[in-house]
Every structure is written in structure tokens, then in C-alpha cells.
Amino acid sequence: MSVGIAAALALAALQPAAGAPPFRAPAAVPKAVSSYPPEFFAAAQPTTALDMVLLLPGFTFDKGDTVRGFGGAAGNVLIDGARPASKDDTLDQVLARVPARSVLRIDVIRGGAPGIDMQGKTVLANVVRRTDAGAKLTLAASTTRASDGRLVGAVRAEAIKRSGATSYEGSLLIGSLFDDGAGEGPRTRADGAGNLIFSAAETQKAVGENYKATAAVETPALGGRLRINGSIFLNPYYATTADLLVPPPGGELDRYREHKDTAELGARLERVLGPQTSLEVFLLQQVGRDPVTDDFSADAPAAAITGDDRSANFALDRTTGESIARATVKFDSSRTLSFQAGGEGDYNWLVSRTSFIENGAPVALPAANVQVSEARAEAFGTATWQARPTLTLEAGLRVEASRIAAGGDVTSARTLIFPKPRAIATWSPDPADQFRLRVEREVGQLNFDDFTAQTAGLDTGTVHAGNPNLIPQQDWVVEAAWERRFWGAADATITARHYQLTDVIDRVPIQDPSGVFFDAPGNIGSGTKDEIAFALTLPTDKLGLKRGLLTGQATVRRSSVIDPTLGLPRPISGLHPNDWELHFTQGLPRWKSTWGFDIFSQWSETYYRFDEIDTDKLKTYVSLFAEYKPRPDLVFRAELRNAGARGFEHAREVFLGPRDVAGLAYADVRDLHTGPFVYFRVLKTFG
């Protein structure tokens, strides 16, 4: 659904309507908080808390970012008022293990409320579980069949038990899944004048494996409530790409292997210090290893035509570690005024070893072998004031200080200090409308992977150098949002954001000691980014579809930076200009069933390298599903994934040298298509 169509559906009926649809309006609570009991979701017959969260009106689920530390990694859902004491166990995975039958209600906090830690978000959901859920064991088995006949499967076991004030949780997952971005299709390469150099039939196949075990215990301890959790995650990934030139005969083969393993131990303590004061402490230790190999080979006829290497071998071995301690003190001065203050300390390290052999000869890469360490501390304070029943104000300040040191091929050390103020105002002039305004200074986090050499696949590009001299990207953002509720449980939200960027991280050339240039991440100066986002939650009873719910969101982005090679304005590399998605679910109680569909729009992203422009396009994705529940504890689910057999296009425009002085050498385009996947799952709950 386009932004225009979604807006038309919402704006056509923005007046609240009488009557109670199956998706009923939330319970009457203070304006900042909307409470949704299980009855609200009954029409959709959800199986897990994640299913329920995805149906919340005016709420866009955010599972958090993959960054170092707790503060920047927070998602926008709490469980029993607290965030999980885990990073490797993602928020969507945690919610998917919470049975819908154990949820008492879900509260949605918009714009902040006294006594609630918003985790830096303007909208937050809190899943409140029942305390009388008892013991439950859930077993699930699934299988997926690809259009070429290949099969993969998975089994999952989850258990939870409450004994008095103590609860125990555990899960085990063993399975494989297809990479639906791999497929088969034509590959063509044409010279700068458009003349065909060669064409080929390309076939890609990729499979990932998941082996994951988690365990947690939550109990009264140390004068409060203590939760300890741990996880081990093994994630091998295998991909092969074969090109058969037609005609004349010739072939290329690329084998990519990655084995990402992590182990984590975390703890969270919540303790009441007084009638108005409470303490929350997080501790976490994580270690990981991520070896990568990429081997490319071409026979003599293919190499003579393509000009590619006869052989290339890339190997990368990374080990990482992260230690975090975070404490927050909350003080409720009154029913309308609360304060929070605290600090976080992190220590992170990475050791990376890289080798690259081209046609049998070693090639030196900038920042191939690097050791990186970061010691970071952040102090923060927030005040939330409900100035009037219709107006809530929040002001906060975070100050981040870090020291990053790199050794190995590149030796550097620097200390960085960034103040990060934030102000949020929320105004609810009537029960149907809410306006939110946010002004904040944001500071990005350096990706340690950018410090070391990387491969994007030797068959689709070149090896990219690392850059340990990066500075975090910063911005000032101004965000304004208008949320309108109508038709009882319907909701439409439009949000506009403007970012004023400094030290933008994009792509730059880096020279090795021999004088050869490589593409690498780097800071390119200032820029701007603008976004307009629209979200819609629409019960379809008034459209003639009983017990149906339509949800969608769309975002339009525009950005501008100065290209370091051409010296001219261009968009930021890797930024999607447009994204949208549409979801529909309808409950059929008579048949104890639910059906629906999910549609994700095509997206494109372009990377502007000094001697190359790469553009990836992933086409529209459509999935259909049906779920049958003969009993509340037994669920059968079938899905037709990628029903439209979407394609993935990777286009490279390779220049004879830097783009400002050299012409186009060739354009290489791969247009791969993946067939549909049939997925089936059975889930049984005991207890």
C-alpha cells in the first residue's frame, strides 16, 4: 500500500464512530497510557505476546539496535515494567516465547509518564504477565520446502515454571532456514558504451543454521527482585554462487562460509529503596567469535572473458567481548513529577585477523590485522513532569565519554566526549488526538566491523579496507508527530523528522603502503536527512470484513551529503528512499482459525564508492498464512512465503579509476529470483 492510499483510508474517516467493533477500544486510563486487555486481541486469536504487540494501535515494534552498551540497544517493549537483561536474546525472540494466555494486559505509553523509564523512546509498550500462569511447556516443530524441492526444519522447546515468587524459564532451538535473498537468474556485463561483454546464468543457494539455548531464573534476592539469564548461540551460514557463461562456455564459483558464535550471561536487580525511590541494576558479559572464509575460482575461458581473477581467497577471524554495568535510580517526587539518574560503564574489545590472496599472491590490505578496545562511560538524568492532565514534559541529559584505542596494522587512540540533551513534549487536547514534539542530540556508535577489512562476496564486489580512525556520526533531530484515534480502536499517526548531521560516516578511498586505493568507511562531513512516516491501524468491520485488522506503515526519506570524490551533493550511502509494509489478519471463530497476509515493499540502497557505484534492490515480498486452533493449546500454522517469487538485483557500475576523472569501465547486473517457500508448523502447549 502506498502512503497515499493508506492516508486516504485513514483520513476518510477520522471522526470517532459509535459502536464497539470486535477490536474494541482500550480501557479508559490516563491519556499518556492506553491499556489493552486480552479481549482486545481476541478477534485475531494471537498465540504469543509478539503477535499481540504487532496488533497494538499506533505502535510500531522496534526490537532495538545491535550496538554496544544497554542504553542505545533498547527496544520499545518492556516485560513486567523492565527490559530483558539480555542482548543476544533479541526482544522479538523473548516476546515470541511468552504465551498469549499468560498476558494480563499490554500498556502503551505515549510521550512519557511520571515513573516510567521510556528508554529514550517516545512510544513504549509494557507487556504485563499474569502471576498465576503456573508451569507451561511448549513444543514446536516446523518445516520449510523451497520451490526446488529442498527441505529444512526446526524444533523448539520452551518451558516456564512459577514456584511461589520464583520463576524459571528455558528454551532450546535447533534448526535451519533458507536465505530467501538467494536465487537464480541472468547476469550481464556491458562496457561503458553499453556493448555486451558477456552474459551468464547465475545460481545462488544459501542456508543458515540456528542452535540456541537460553535459561533464566527470577527470584526475590538482595532485598529486591533478581533475574539471571544466560544464552549460547551458534549460527553457521553457508552460501554458494555459480555462474555459467552462455555462450561461450566458462564458469565461476564462489563459496562463502561464516560461523558466528556468541555466549552471554546477564543479570538485572530491581530494588525498592524507599516509599518514592527505586533502583535498577544491569550486569552483562558477552563473548563471541566470527570466522569468515570466501573462496572464488574461475576457469580459464571464464577469466579470459570476464577479466576477473582466476582465484581469490579471503579469510577473516574476529573475536569480541563486551562487559556492561548499568544502574538507574528512580525518584517519584509526586504523582506528576519524577526523576531518573544513573550511569553506565562498558568495556568492549575486538581482535581481527585478515588475509587476502589473489591469483596465488598475498595482497596487503589496510587495517587487515587490528585490535580495538573501547572504554566508555555515560551519565544520564531525566525529569518527567505532567504539567497538566493534557500536557507531559520530559527533559534529559546524557554525557558520554569514551576512549578508543587501536593496535596492529594501524595504531591510534583518542578520547571522545559528547553531551546528548533531549526534550519531549506531549499534548493530548482531547481523547482522540495526541501531538508529540522531540528535540534531541544523537550520537551514533562506531561499528567495530568498520575498523577491519571486509568482503562483500568476492563474486559480487571487491574486498573493502578497514578504517580505525572513524569519529561517531552526530545529529540534531527535530521530530513532530500527530496521532489520531477513530472508529473506537483505529489509529493513524504521521511523524516528520529532520536531522542535521555532522561527521557523516559514508564511503571514502584509503591508500595502502604500496599506493593502491581501497574503498573503506570514513567521515565525509556534514549533511541532512528528512523523514516522513505514516502508521495505520484499522479494524475492517466498517469495510465489510468482520473481525479483521489492517495495519501498515510507510516511510519516505531524503538525504544530502557532499560526495568526497565528485564534490557534489548526493544521498547518503545505504539509505532506503522509501519503505512500506502492509499486514492483514482476520479471525474466523466459527472455524477456530485465523488467516491473513503480509506485504513488504521493494527497497533499494546505493553505495557511492570512489571508483564504483553499487545498487541493491530487493523486490516486493508477499506472504500468506492460515492458522487453525482446534484447542487453545494446539496450533497448526501454514504459510506461503514469498508468494510473488520476488527478485534481488545487484548492480555494479565500475569505473576505470576515481569517478571524478575516469570513465565507466563496465556495468555488471545480476537479477536473481527466488521461488515461493511453503512453511508448516505445529505447536503444542502443556500446562
Side-chain angles (χ1 to χ4, degrees):
M1 175 180 287
S2 69
V3 177
I5 296 175
L9 279 172
L11 298 178
L14 283 188
Q15 296 302 318
F23 281 90
R24 290 180 287 179
V29 291
K31 290 183 173 60
V33 182
S34 299
S35 185
Y36 297 88
E39 293 76 18
F40 173 83
F41 307 96
Q45 303 181 75
T47 301
T48 69
L50 179 61
D51 298 334
M52 301 169 78
V53 165
L54 296 177
L55 295 171
L56 289 169
F59 184 80
T60 301
F61 175 62
D62 174 11
K63 68 178 182 179
D65 296 323
T66 306
V67 296
R68 299 181 301 281
F70 265 120
N76 62 354
V77 178
L78 306 177
I79 299 177
D80 294 329
R83 60 173 299 184
S86 171
K87 292 179 63 180
D88 187 53
D89 204 16
T90 59
L91 187 54
D92 56 338
Q93 295 171 343
V94 174
L95 291 170
R97 293 202 300 267
V98 178
R101 290 191 296 164
S102 68
V103 176
L104 178 65
R105 69 178 190 277
I106 301 180
D107 297 329
V108 177
I109 305 98
R110 294 174 169 87
I116 297 175
D117 183 3
M118 294 297 292
Q119 310 281 324
K121 311 294 183 180
T122 56
V123 181
L124 199 68
N126 179 31
V127 177
V128 181
R129 294 179 295 181
R130 294 170 49 193
T131 58
D132 58 348
K136 283 186 172 57
L137 171 65
T138 300
L139 302 178
S142 65
T143 183
T144 305
R145 185 184 188 277
S147 57
D148 59 6
R150 290 178 296 155
L151 288 171
V152 294
V155 293
R156 188 176 82 242
E158 300 163 357
I160 181 170
K161 179 181 180 181
R162 294 183 182 272
S163 178
T166 300
S167 65
Y168 305 89
E169 300 173 26
S171 70
L172 179 66
L173 170 66
I174 301 174
S176 302
L177 67 158
F178 295 117
D179 182 347
D180 60 6
E184 56 186 43
R187 175 189 175 190
T188 60
R189 180 176 293 181
D191 62 22
N195 301 309
L196 183 67
I197 298 175
F198 71 85
S199 62
E202 181 165 296
T203 301
Q204 287 187 359
K205 293 184 179 180
V207 175
E209 298 176 4
N210 290 322
Y211 307 95
K212 186 168 187 176
T214 69
V217 58
E218 187 168 338
T219 187
L222 302 176
R225 189 154 189 84
L226 176 67
R227 180 180 177 87
I228 299 176
N229 54 258
S231 67
I232 297 176
F233 183 33
L234 310 180
N235 185 206
Y237 177 83
Y238 311 96
T240 60
T241 302
D243 288 281
L244 180 63
L245 276 62
V246 287
E252 298 178 341
L253 180 64
D254 183 89
R255 294 186 178 90
Y256 179 88
R257 303 288 186 272
E258 183 171 8
H259 202 301
K260 190 172 185 178
D261 304 331
T262 57
E264 180 181 270
L265 181 64
R268 181 187 74 232
L269 173 66
E270 298 172 284
R271 181 175 178 179
V272 175
L273 302 180
Q276 299 168 287
T277 310
S278 62
L279 170 70
E280 185 177 57
V281 177
F282 284 96
L283 299 173
L284 182 136
Q285 178 63 57
Q286 187 180 84
V287 293
R289 185 169 181 262
D290 186 13
V292 174
T293 60
D294 192 358
D295 300 307
F296 173 82
S297 62
D299 58 26
I305 296 170
T306 65
D308 295 339
D309 299 323
R310 284 294 307 274
S311 67
N313 308 95
F314 177 89
L316 167 65
D317 192 356
R318 287 177 293 213
T319 55
T320 61
E322 179 173 27
S323 304
I324 306 173
R326 180 183 178 90
T328 304
V329 175
K330 304 175 184 179
F331 176 68
D332 296 328
S333 177
S334 67
R335 295 183 61 184
T336 60
L337 181 63
S338 67
F339 300 91
Q340 295 181 30
E344 177 174 306
D346 310 311
Y347 181 75
N348 304 273
W349 57 268
L350 174 145
V351 177
S352 175
R353 296 287 181 266
T354 305
S355 67
F356 182 43
I357 300 174
E358 194 173 41
N359 295 321
V363 177
L365 299 174
N369 302 305
V370 176
Q371 302 92 44
V372 183
S373 64
E374 177 193 46
R376 184 167 58 88
E378 181 179 84
F380 53 88
T382 302
T384 303
W385 178 36
Q386 191 170 346
R388 301 180 62 183
T390 59
L391 179 64
T392 302
L393 303 175
E394 178 186 321
L397 175 64
R398 293 175 292 160
V399 179
E400 175 187 315
S402 63
R403 180 169 178 79
I404 300 177
D409 292 348
V410 179
T411 302
S412 65
R414 57 197 182 279
T415 299
L416 304 169
I417 300 176
F418 297 105
K420 299 180 286 187
R422 178 177 70 230
I424 300 174
T426 304
W427 180 45
S428 305
D430 55 60
D433 295 286
Q434 185 177 88
F435 298 89
R436 298 186 289 270
L437 178 66
R438 175 174 68 101
V439 179
E440 184 173 3
R441 189 193 189 202
E442 300 175 329
V443 178
Q445 194 174 98
L446 296 177
N447 185 345
F448 279 4
D449 289 345
D450 289 342
F451 285 43
T452 65
Q454 304 285 327
T455 175
L458 298 178
D459 64 313
T460 59
T462 58
V463 171
H464 305 303
N467 183 0
N469 297 310
L470 292 168
I471 296 174
Q473 179 174 300
Q474 309 120 57
D475 68 66
W476 278 98
V477 58
V478 178
E479 176 185 279
W482 171 35
E483 182 175 356
R484 173 74 172 179
R485 303 179 193 180
F486 59 101
W487 287 4
D491 187 287
T493 303
I494 185 168
T495 305
R497 304 181 187 94
H498 173 72
Y499 298 83
Q500 198 67 38
L501 308 168
T502 56
D503 293 320
V504 175
I505 295 179
D506 208 291
R507 311 304 301 182
V508 300
I510 287 194
Q511 192 175 24
D512 74 357
S514 67
V516 177
F517 283 94
F518 289 86
D519 170 76
N523 297 107
I524 65 171
S526 301
T528 60
K529 182 174 69 170
D530 295 282
E531 297 179 349
I532 295 180
F534 182 80
L536 173 69
T537 302
L538 187 69
T540 60
D541 294 79
K542 293 183 179 298
L543 303 178
L545 290 172
K546 299 296 183 182
R547 294 172 296 278
L549 185 68
L550 184 71
T551 61
Q553 59 189 51
T555 303
V556 177
R557 303 178 185 88
R558 296 295 181 264
S559 64
S560 179
V561 292
I562 300 300
D563 188 297
T565 301
L566 298 181
L568 298 174
R570 64 157 171 83
I572 296 173
S573 287
L575 193 68
H576 294 189
N578 308 293
D579 286 299
W580 61 262
E581 58 188 70
L582 185 67
H583 310 275
F584 176 74
T585 182
Q586 183 183 26
L588 306 172
R590 181 178 177 182
W591 291 282
K592 300 181 180 180
S593 301
T594 303
W595 79 280
F597 61 78
D598 302 289
I599 304 175
F600 295 88
S601 72
Q602 170 180 301
W603 57 254
S604 66
E605 57 186 30
T606 301
Y607 293 87
Y608 299 88
R609 313 185 193 280
F610 78 99
D611 62 347
E612 186 173 330
I613 298 177
D614 296 350
T615 301
D616 291 334
K617 294 181 180 179
L618 190 64
K619 308 299 174 60
T620 302
Y621 180 91
V622 179
S623 176
L624 307 173
F625 69 87
E627 202 166 77
Y628 172 55
K629 292 185 178 180
R631 300 194 307 268
D633 60 353
L634 182 62
V635 183
F636 298 93
R637 183 180 179 92
E639 298 181 23
L640 179 61
R641 298 177 173 177
N642 193 31
R646 73 169 176 188
F648 176 76
E649 180 182 296
H650 178 73
R652 298 174 60 214
E653 295 179 271
V654 180
F655 293 78
L656 295 167
R659 290 184 286 115
D660 58 335
V661 297
L664 183 66
Y666 62 83
D668 191 292
V669 179
R670 303 159 189 256
D671 189 8
L672 306 179
H673 290 264
T674 305
F677 297 88
V678 177
Y679 170 86
F680 180 77
R681 184 192 71 190
V682 58
L683 183 148
K684 179 70 170 73
T685 301
F686 301 88

